[in-house]
Amino acid sequence: MPTERFQFPGTGGHQLAAALDLPDGEPAAYALFAHCFTCSKDSLAAARIAAALTARGIAVLRFDFTGLGSSEGDFANATFSSNVADLVLAANHLRNIRKAPAILIGHSFGGAAILAAAADISEARAVVTIAAPSDPAHVTHLFADRLDCIRAHGEVEVKLAGRPFTIKRAFLDDIAEHNLMAHVARLHKPLLIMQSPTDDTVGIDNATRIFLAAKHPKSFVSLDGMDHLLTKRSDAVYVADVITAWAGRYLDAAATAPAADSPEPRRVVVRETRASKLQQQIMVGPHRLIADEPLAAGGADTGPGPYDLLLAALGACTSMTMRLYADRKALPMDRVTVTLNHSKIYAKDCAECETKEGMLDQLDRVISIEGALDDEQRKRLMDVADKCPVHRTLKSEIRIVTKAAE
């Protein structure tokens, strides 16, 4: 999937290096990603989450804060306030070249910056924090033993993750002035808080404080067993899956839905993501899904397998057909649940099957119907289940035409 790399002017006039990851086709939405303290736009978490979101149809802009990665300027002169201002400038730039971000995502210190910047990005419809501190001053624990020296001398070089960084008194003064919880209380945007209960860098109590300060709608997802930097690829993919599912509720459906009078039928396009051996991106109009295989079959188990999707199609069609019939006939059906399974059986064990040799595919479908229905009504509904279009397609002769793309 394409990535556009460019620069845009930051708060101090320095050029900030940016990467815009684009899906194939028109993006369902644009997201702005803020990386962690002393990290870069190309950190494992930033790059992998962006790639996974792009595979799901969401374009992602990530950039290096001042003095980090490929951006110009001196990190020592950067502050929390300048990071917040640069996020607003990044959103403005994205608005000018493409479309303003609808989703704001911040990891760790970047999560705190996203919360502070959200009010100044009016088009943002959903805000996500990943392992974010509830106070930007939390970052000072990384160099707590040098705080007195920084205040006494004005600036001191410290080592963070094995690399030297200069921290100035101005940085400490700046973060001390920020009341992040006040920003959270005035957010007025849907908020998703993601945090690992075993994070030893930013404790789970930070997520609790953010959650309590925020107004509804707000959600919390526990990243059980994950480390602070999301170093496992599967963890980043999981985070992207949750963000996509959660944010979809708040995105502008009118902007992503196909025209009601469109004469063109919606095509299904399936393409390898190359994020893992067998992972596939499925595109159906504005919708994005991921397919994979279980670990035992050589996949990474990041999504349902092909036969899972086949069973899902039959189950969904069965349930929809029964619902339409129940509503049309005013039957008191409260809910229908369809449970399915695929297996192979010996043809000789199927008395009603025409094929008598080899193996056959068997789809087991168990239907549970809730509601104050009598026996006759339940029988009618069960008969209707066999009339669903997908059921009929699977039972009929199917012609599959395959040709090479021109």
Side-chain angles (χ1 to χ4, degrees):
M1 296 179 186
T3 297
E4 294 183 1
R5 295 188 180 272
F6 52 85
Q7 294 180 325
F8 67 92
T11 306
H14 303 294
Q15 293 296 310
L16 303 183
L20 177 60
D21 300 293
L22 294 165
D24 294 320
E26 185 66 21
Y30 286 83
L32 174 61
F33 188 98
H35 62 71
C36 57
F37 190 61
T38 72
C39 296
S40 76
K41 68 181 183 305
D42 298 313
S43 66
L44 287 178
R48 287 173 174 173
I49 291 174
L53 287 172
T54 304
R56 289 147 182 78
I58 297 174
V60 181
L61 174 63
R62 46 196 170 94
F63 70 96
D64 296 324
F65 286 117
T66 299
L68 294 172
S70 301
S71 286
E72 296 178 350
D74 186 351
F75 173 80
N77 295 325
T79 63
F80 183 72
S81 294
S82 69
N83 285 355
V84 171
D86 285 341
L87 282 167
V88 176
L89 290 174
N92 292 343
H93 188 79
L94 185 58
R95 183 187 299 110
N96 292 334
I97 65 171
R98 293 278 183 164
K99 189 176 182 179
I103 309 171
L104 305 179
I105 307 169
H107 179 211
S108 191
F109 195 68
I114 278 289
L115 289 171
D120 294 321
I121 305 174
S122 59
E123 296 93 338
R125 304 176 69 87
V127 180
V128 181
T129 64
I130 306 164
S134 58
D135 183 344
H138 178 277
V139 74
T140 61
H141 84 280
L142 297 173
F143 43 87
D145 59 334
R146 307 303 302 278
L147 290 176
D148 290 340
C149 289
I150 296 171
R151 292 191 176 97
H153 300 287
E155 62 179 68
V156 168
E157 184 178 279
V158 302
K159 280 201 171 183
L160 302 174
R163 294 181 295 158
F165 291 93
T166 297
I167 304 295
K168 292 187 174 183
R169 184 191 301 123
F171 177 82
L172 301 182
D173 293 341
D174 179 77
I175 56 177
E177 293 176 357
H178 282 273
N179 181 359
L180 189 60
M181 292 303 94
H183 287 286
V184 174
R186 298 191 302 266
L187 187 60
H188 301 305
K189 298 179 189 290
L191 174 63
L192 171 62
I193 304 160
M194 308 181 79
Q195 175 64 281
S196 170
T198 55
D199 189 333
D200 56 5
T201 301
V202 177
I204 191 70
D205 55 311
N206 288 270
T208 301
R209 285 191 286 270
I210 296 172
F211 187 86
L212 292 175
K215 303 296 190 295
H216 285 290
K218 56 184 176 180
S219 304
F220 171 77
V221 171
S222 176
L223 303 180
D224 188 31
M226 300 187 191
D227 60 35
H228 181 70
L229 295 178
L230 302 178
T231 51
K232 291 183 180 179
R233 183 185 298 273
S234 59
D235 291 345
V237 171
Y238 173 79
V239 166
D241 280 338
V242 173
I243 292 173
T244 303
W246 174 83
R249 183 177 183 86
Y250 304 106
L251 300 180
D252 188 355
T256 59
D261 57 353
S262 174
E264 294 293 328
R266 294 203 299 192
R267 294 187 305 161
V268 175
V269 179
V270 180
R271 179 180 289 111
E272 287 185 304
T273 67
R274 303 307 295 158
S276 62
K277 182 179 179 180
L278 297 177
Q279 189 185 74
Q280 309 290 317
Q281 179 192 29
I282 303 172
M283 295 167 280
V284 188
H287 307 294
R288 301 295 186 272
L289 307 172
I290 289 294
D292 205 337
E293 284 282 18
L295 297 174
D301 203 19
T302 58
Y307 276 105
D308 298 328
L309 294 170
L310 177 65
L311 293 175
L314 176 59
C317 183
T318 300
S319 181
M320 291 175 184
T321 301
M322 295 174 70
R323 170 54 59 195
L324 291 171
Y325 179 84
D327 288 354
R328 188 170 65 249
K329 298 296 185 180
L331 300 181
M333 184 177 77
D334 295 335
R335 186 187 300 254
V336 60
T337 302
V338 186
T339 306
L340 304 105
N341 183 58
H342 168 253
S343 61
K344 294 279 190 178
I345 64 169
Y346 289 102
K348 64 182 180 181
D349 294 334
C350 179
E352 68 272 20
C353 297
E354 295 182 5
T355 303
K356 297 302 178 184
E357 296 181 359
M359 304 292 289
L360 294 175
D361 288 280
Q362 177 167 306
L363 306 184
D364 293 300
R365 177 175 54 178
V366 178
I367 302 173
S368 172
I369 306 172
E370 300 174 30
L373 298 150
D374 59 33
D375 291 343
E376 176 58 29
Q377 290 171 329
R378 290 178 179 273
K379 181 180 183 305
R380 285 158 56 193
L381 286 166
M382 290 298 290
D383 290 340
V384 166
D386 287 342
K387 294 180 172 59
C388 101
V390 172
H391 180 111
R392 290 179 171 179
T393 297
L394 293 173
K395 292 285 287 185
S396 65
E397 182 179 354
I398 301 175
R399 179 170 177 255
I400 300 175
V401 179
T402 303
K403 61 182 180 179
E406 298 179 356

